[in-house]
Amino acid sequence: MRILLAMSLLIGVVSTVPAVAADPDVLDVSFGGSFSSGHTYTAATGEVMGGTLTRRSGAESQDPARGLVLAGGPDGVLFQPGTAISGGAVQRSFLVETAFTPAAAQASLATVTAVGGAIFGRYSGTNLQYGFSSEVNGEWQDVVQSVPVPTAGEQHVLALAYEVDGGGATLHAFLDGQQLPAAVSTAGTATWHADAGAEIGVGNEVHPSALQRGLAGSVRQVRLATFSGAFNPGDLRLAKPVGSTAKVSVGFEGTIERGEYVPGLGEKASELKAAGRITEPGRLRLDGGGVSWRGELDGGVLAETVVSPDLLDRGAELIALGEVRLVALGKHAVALRAGGKTTEVRLPRASVKEGVEYHYLGLALDAGTVDVLKAPGVTAVSVEVAGGTVDEVRWLTGARGTAYGVGVSSYFGEPSAGLKALPCVVGKLKPAQTMPVAEGECVTSLVAKASAIRPEPRQVEWQRMEQTAFLHFGVNTFTGLEWGHGDEDPNLFQPTGLDTDQWARTLRDSGFKLAILTVKHHDGFLLYPSRYSDHSVASSSWQGGQGDVVAAFVKSMRKYGLKVGLYLSPADENQYLDGVYANGSAHTPRTIPTLLPGDDRAGQDLPQYTLTASDYGAYMLNQLYELLTEYGQVDEVWFDGAQGRIPPDKVETYDFPSWYELIRKLAPRATIAVSGPDVRWVGNESGLARPDEFSVVPTITKPNGSPDYALGYAAADQGSRKALLAGRDAGATQLAWWPAESDVSIREGWFHHPEQSPRSVEQLADIYYKSVGRNSVLLLNIPPDRRGRLDDQDVTRLAEWRAKLAADMPRDLAKGARVSGEGTVTVQLPAKATVRRVSLGEDIRFGQQVEAGVIEVRDQGGWKQVAAFGAVGHKRILALDSPVTTDQVRVRITQSRGKVRLTALSIY
């Protein structure tokens, strides 16, 4: 193959006009919540839904692994934003991203995304078509572009960004991060259909004449945000834009076999020739040899290398593209030899990582111009040369010393680094709860950091509980709503026989170790008499206005040996109506507690704190102060990330850092979940963890100061080696011990609705094995009814569930057995027995180390594999492929990050 050094035409280049960051999300859901019988969607914890989402046909289903499952035809969902982004005279710029997996067969014009009956991304035969319809002077025109359809059966991300510019509009498009030709109109903007101008369709159209254009397949996640000014590709989240296409990106973490380089994890290399020795991961030792590659590239060509200064001996050919060569002149300079001319380039001082010095060098060729790069994206010199072709790319010919990486990529526009290779050096790591991630950090280093990460004691204690309960109780219990409006009459709250002792007894007998009470849900109604709001039990005639559900709850939980958790919703519809929530107030220093006129605490020696907050942030801080100082020890504080159902331009920026700081001061042993640094949401509300659930994951920090998934909460893999690399490339700032909590309700709704029934015993057992049995803590919601008691049906079902689990795992056969070995553990049973399940557990005080292993049993022919597993963590329960009868069971760890400490091994 020959490499063409001619610049290809770039169609639809993103505007270079200075961009403005996207506004807060209007919608971001992964369909981990639930659809009610009325087809209305209730958002899951952490999802954003500034409007109403409904399913179209009622046949749409949900799957924890796939998201929203669609059969085509009338299937799909319809989103109506609380504030229109389109329709009539409204002409706002917005972007919509859809992560979808298409089936092989699609009906005519099957639609992925549609907005306002005017903008679309849809199938059209063998093409994926996207664009918009515009009416100008009474004439209709479609501004359309198309590309080949993406591979069926695989997840893809289609991103459409509609940018309004004067009298015209541009629809920017990206498929899996690759920029596509834009659909551009200078003569008019999209013309919204009168009946669909404010609607957004996912998996189907919204145009009234095209409601049978459903997508066959599934939608894993959809995100909608508005923006001002020019579109900024950096605002895309579900698939980051790709600026260049790397053909070779090697940090020498692989191996060399008979002159061929075999890539390591995360590396890109095909037919790469290498002469030298890899002395340790990330280091190629050269002794006069070199590296070469042949292949085909479109557009500009960028070849890169990262080397130690000792390799820059005079005369070594560092990079060669045909007759264009970069040659070493010693440790401080290189020479560009091109077009019969030699140009010297002085090198900057060597960079240093963990005491290792290195230089980056790049050589870019495009349309008769050659650039020498002395740092990624930094051009040292630019020289005009004659066009032509070359047969191969060569690196480090005749060099002697250490190379840390080579790369070659194609690009359009400006050359951007495709090589993800700093010197792969692992320094001395002191165990910690978090560790930073560097751009381009090698997988060897990332895995070493992941191995060294340790949980805080409160996290260890939390994970050991395994099974916790949620108690959704409030004014919604009496209105039948899942999400109240904030203007409900507090007098509606009238439990006729509140019995928190019954809650506690039932939970204790069902194996729960902690219970979380909804002190305040999104409607803002408080289950205790707060000094800072009248929207509480104190304004109800229940118990003569003297009722306090929190006090009764706390007393009962402690009486029956359960730990106490409190949920205080960050969203608050009542405070929005009162002009406090999302009122645009400044985040300024506030004194907490803020004493009010006639405050009963006046004159007391109260601990006070100065914390930064908005008006609403201070409201939350004052209530946290009340709850954490007046009800004894609190073991968990639970936040979600929900926003109120308010206009997108009225979003409240939560003061999470201040809330965390106050909790740490007043309840240092309490875990902070789920929008918190101690515990993360698993990503769905079905109670199902990933098959391999890691407690160490790559994270970023949201603008509001709360931690967030680097890979998005819907990603199927959060902690494997591949996920660590993907997190690095997605902009992760750190690796953190952030274990998963799997939440689900025993009923369809989170609040008690008399017409609903509890899940079956089989469903609950499956949830247990796929949450607790997958290194996650189960958070099961059991909602009290209007009496203030747990429903008798739910109590019975919990007892049946525990009996089912006891029958599945009746007696631990490993107790009293002879156990030997460490990395491979063999259990000699006292006698032959039928084995159906094996449960494993690591001592997580020393991190999470197991990445893969197998379960084997002894039979007449020797050892036979009966199960395989990946991550273990605190607990992993494995069902064997089929029951076996044996007297020897062996656990063999086949891959780990560090020393494995198995402290739990049970056989059933």
Side-chain angles (χ1 to χ4, degrees):
M1 308 292 282
R2 299 177 68 82
I3 302 173
L4 303 179
L5 302 183
M7 174 63 179
S8 297
L9 177 64
L10 175 61
I11 304 174
V13 176
V14 172
S15 171
T16 57
V17 177
V20 179
D23 299 329
D25 291 348
V26 179
L27 176 74
D28 186 354
V29 299
S30 65
F31 301 101
S34 59
F35 286 98
S36 69
S37 56
H39 293 185
T40 301
Y41 182 74
T42 300
T45 301
E47 294 185 327
V48 176
M49 197 170 70
T52 303
L53 188 70
T54 55
R55 56 183 172 183
R56 292 277 303 277
S57 70
E60 304 86 349
S61 62
Q62 292 170 265
D63 181 273
R66 301 167 63 195
L68 181 73
V69 180
L70 306 171
D75 283 7
V77 294
L78 178 69
F79 179 64
Q80 294 178 303
T83 297
I85 64 167
S86 61
V90 178
Q91 293 285 329
R92 300 186 66 184
S93 297
F94 62 87
L95 63 92
V96 57
E97 301 175 81
T98 309
F100 69 104
T101 300
Q106 299 292 341
S108 176
L109 300 179
T111 301
V112 178
T113 304
V115 183
I119 298 174
F120 49 82
R122 64 196 181 196
Y123 279 68
S124 179
T126 58
N127 287 330
L128 182 66
Q129 183 186 77
Y130 54 93
F132 57 94
S133 301
S134 180
E135 183 183 15
V136 180
N137 298 324
E139 295 187 4
W140 283 91
Q141 62 176 354
D142 282 343
V143 184
V144 176
Q145 295 279 10
S146 62
V147 295
V149 297
T151 306
E154 297 179 5
Q155 180 171 293
H156 303 279
V157 175
L158 176 65
L160 300 177
Y162 177 71
E163 179 183 331
V164 180
D165 183 16
T170 299
L171 186 67
H172 304 283
F174 293 77
L175 182 62
D176 298 332
Q178 295 283 354
Q179 184 185 353
L180 307 178
V184 182
S185 170
T186 58
T189 58
T191 302
W192 316 108
H193 190 281
D195 295 334
E199 299 174 349
I200 291 91
V202 179
N204 209 328
E205 252 290 355
V206 294
H207 196 291
S209 66
L211 302 183
Q212 295 293 318
R213 296 180 179 176
L215 176 78
S218 61
V219 176
R220 190 67 190 89
Q221 191 172 359
V222 59
R223 173 177 176 258
L224 171 71
T226 59
F227 63 90
S228 303
F231 168 62
N232 180 2
D235 289 331
L236 298 177
R237 300 246 186 99
L238 304 192
K240 293 294 185 181
V242 177
S244 63
T245 302
K247 301 296 185 180
V248 173
S249 182
V250 165
F252 299 123
E253 294 183 86
T255 58
I256 297 175
E257 298 179 7
R258 295 184 295 277
E260 295 277 350
Y261 183 77
V262 180
L265 180 63
E267 295 185 319
K268 293 183 178 180
S270 176
E271 300 182 4
L272 186 70
K273 310 291 185 182
R277 296 177 297 110
I278 295 179
T279 57
E280 60 182 277
R283 300 189 184 197
L284 174 65
R285 183 68 186 177
L286 293 163
D287 191 18
V291 184
S292 64
W293 177 82
R294 289 176 179 267
E296 185 174 357
L297 294 163
D298 297 323
V301 179
L302 171 64
E304 307 164 273
T305 188
V306 178
V307 298
S308 63
D310 68 345
L311 190 144
L312 300 179
D313 288 336
R314 182 178 295 272
E317 189 179 85
L318 302 173
I319 304 175
L321 293 170
E323 297 302 316
V324 179
R325 303 182 182 190
L326 194 64
V327 180
L329 296 179
K331 296 185 178 181
H332 305 293
V334 295
L336 171 64
R337 294 176 181 171
K341 297 185 295 185
T342 298
T343 305
E344 183 175 329
V345 179
R346 300 293 295 178
L347 297 178
R349 185 185 299 273
S351 300
V352 180
K353 180 188 178 188
E354 300 290 350
V356 173
E357 294 185 333
Y358 67 96
H359 286 286
Y360 166 93
L361 293 163
L363 191 62
L365 270 167
D366 181 21
T369 300
V370 58
D371 295 332
V372 176
L373 285 70
K374 60 183 179 181
V378 179
T379 298
V381 298
S382 183
V383 176
E384 296 297 321
V385 297
T389 60
V390 296
D391 294 320
E392 65 179 350
V393 180
R394 299 191 306 275
W395 298 266
L396 311 172
T397 303
R400 297 176 183 274
T402 303
Y404 300 114
V406 296
V408 62
S409 56
S410 62
Y411 66 90
F412 297 100
E414 296 295 324
S416 57
L419 175 60
K420 301 292 185 183
L422 293 174
C424 189
V425 180
V426 179
K428 294 182 179 179
L429 298 174
K430 183 179 180 181
Q433 198 257 344
T434 64
M435 291 197 180
V437 173
E439 183 178 0
E441 188 165 0
C442 64
V443 68
T444 302
S445 177
L446 291 170
V447 171
K449 287 182 176 179
S451 176
I453 288 178
R454 304 287 186 266
E456 295 288 344
R458 60 177 168 267
Q459 293 175 304
V460 174
E461 188 175 354
W462 178 83
Q463 286 188 258
R464 286 175 175 171
M465 288 191 288
E466 299 182 358
Q467 190 178 312
T468 58
F470 224 155
L471 296 160
H472 274 65
F473 189 50
V475 71
N476 289 350
T477 307
F478 299 88
T479 62
L481 298 175
E482 283 289 299
W483 186 325
H485 299 287
D487 57 359
E488 290 83 4
D489 182 353
N491 205 45
L492 290 171
F493 185 81
Q494 295 287 342
T496 56
L498 180 69
D499 189 349
T500 54
D501 274 3
Q502 184 244 7
W503 303 358
R505 281 194 309 272
T506 301
L507 298 178
R508 178 201 62 187
D509 295 345
S510 302
F512 294 92
K513 303 298 189 297
L514 173 145
I516 302 169
L517 176 67
T518 54
V519 176
K520 181 186 75 163
H521 201 252
H522 309 327
D523 54 83
F525 182 78
L526 293 153
L527 292 183
Y528 80 104
S530 173
R531 300 169 180 83
Y532 301 92
S533 174
D534 293 330
H535 197 59
S536 76
V537 289
S539 296
S540 168
S541 61
W542 174 66
Q543 293 192 357
Q546 302 300 307
D548 188 337
V549 179
V550 174
F553 164 76
V554 168
K555 181 179 179 181
S556 294
M557 294 304 125
R558 294 199 183 106
K559 177 180 177 181
Y560 287 92
L562 278 78
K563 294 180 180 294
V564 169
L566 302 178
Y567 164 43
L568 202 63
S569 168
D572 196 313
E573 301 283 352
N574 178 261
Q575 288 300 300
Y576 176 68
L577 296 174
D578 282 355
V580 178
Y581 183 89
N583 66 2
S585 58
H587 298 260
T588 58
R590 313 285 179 128
T591 299
I592 307 298
T594 307
L595 298 186
L596 303 173
D599 200 303
D600 58 309
R601 298 168 296 181
Q604 298 181 21
D605 185 18
L606 297 173
Q608 289 189 317
Y609 306 96
T610 301
L611 299 165
T612 300
S614 65
D615 290 349
Y616 178 71
Y619 174 82
M620 285 284 289
L621 285 167
N622 277 306
Q623 291 184 335
L624 283 168
Y625 189 97
E626 291 176 320
L627 293 166
L628 298 178
T629 59
E630 299 177 13
Y631 292 92
Q633 180 177 321
V634 173
D635 304 289
E636 182 169 342
V637 179
W638 205 93
F639 298 121
D640 54 22
Q643 280 282 348
R645 294 175 300 191
I646 57 177
D649 58 349
K650 295 287 187 181
V651 170
E652 171 73 31
T653 300
Y654 297 138
D655 291 300
F656 280 118
S658 291
W659 300 353
Y660 299 161
E661 184 177 348
L662 185 65
I663 295 167
R664 291 288 189 244
K665 290 180 181 299
L666 298 177
R669 292 177 54 187
T671 53
I672 306 175
V674 143
S675 286
D678 296 324
V679 175
R680 64 182 163 91
W681 175 48
V682 77
N684 64 74
E685 292 188 347
S686 302
L688 305 180
R690 297 163 183 82
D692 291 316
E693 195 69 75
F694 287 87
S695 295
V696 177
V697 297
T699 68
I700 58 174
T701 301
K702 290 182 180 179
N704 63 19
S706 66
D708 196 12
Y709 287 104
L711 296 175
Y713 57 84
D717 180 7
Q718 292 287 351
S720 73
R721 295 187 179 212
K722 288 184 179 180
L724 299 182
L725 282 171
R728 175 203 70 181
D729 294 341
T733 55
Q734 65 179 16
L735 302 180
W737 189 276
W738 205 30
E741 177 184 77
S742 299
D743 60 330
V744 66
S745 183
I746 196 170
R747 293 165 168 252
E748 182 182 11
W750 288 91
F751 287 89
H752 186 272
H753 306 291
E755 70 276 11
Q756 296 178 354
S757 299
R759 299 176 189 270
S760 69
V761 172
E762 290 72 22
Q763 287 176 310
L764 291 175
D766 187 60
I767 287 169
Y768 178 87
Y769 290 125
K770 292 178 179 176
S771 57
V772 175
R774 290 179 172 178
N775 188 41
S776 175
V777 170
L778 171 61
L779 177 60
L780 181 64
N781 178 65
I782 307 101
D785 60 20
R786 294 180 183 180
R787 299 173 300 170
R789 293 175 57 87
L790 300 185
D791 191 294
D792 295 342
Q793 293 183 73
D794 297 351
V795 173
T796 299
R797 188 56 42 83
L798 289 173
E800 294 170 341
W801 171 52
R802 294 307 298 180
K804 162 70 173 169
L805 295 178
D808 285 350
M809 298 178 287
R811 181 173 65 89
D812 184 359
L813 300 174
K815 285 188 176 180
R818 188 170 73 249
V819 180
S820 60
E822 292 185 5
T824 297
V825 179
T826 302
V827 181
Q828 176 66 59
L829 302 178
K832 284 193 174 184
T834 300
V835 177
R836 291 179 172 83
R837 288 181 175 81
V838 175
S839 177
L840 306 174
E842 295 182 68
D843 188 342
I844 59 173
R845 295 175 301 170
F846 299 95
Q848 185 176 0
Q849 307 297 344
V850 176
E851 293 177 302
V854 295
I855 304 294
E856 299 168 321
V857 298
R858 189 80 171 181
D859 63 11
Q860 293 179 349
W863 289 103
K864 172 186 174 184
Q865 180 177 318
V866 292
F869 57 90
V872 173
H874 170 69
K875 177 170 281 190
R876 183 72 186 264
I877 302 176
L878 298 156
L880 304 192
D881 297 337
S882 60
V884 295
T885 300
T886 185
D887 61 356
Q888 287 189 65
V889 179
R890 186 165 74 179
V891 179
R892 185 160 55 87
I893 305 302
T894 58
Q895 185 175 9
S896 68
R897 295 174 175 176
K899 182 179 179 180
V900 175
R901 293 175 170 86
L902 287 179
T903 57
L905 172 55
S906 297
I907 300 172
Y908 302 101

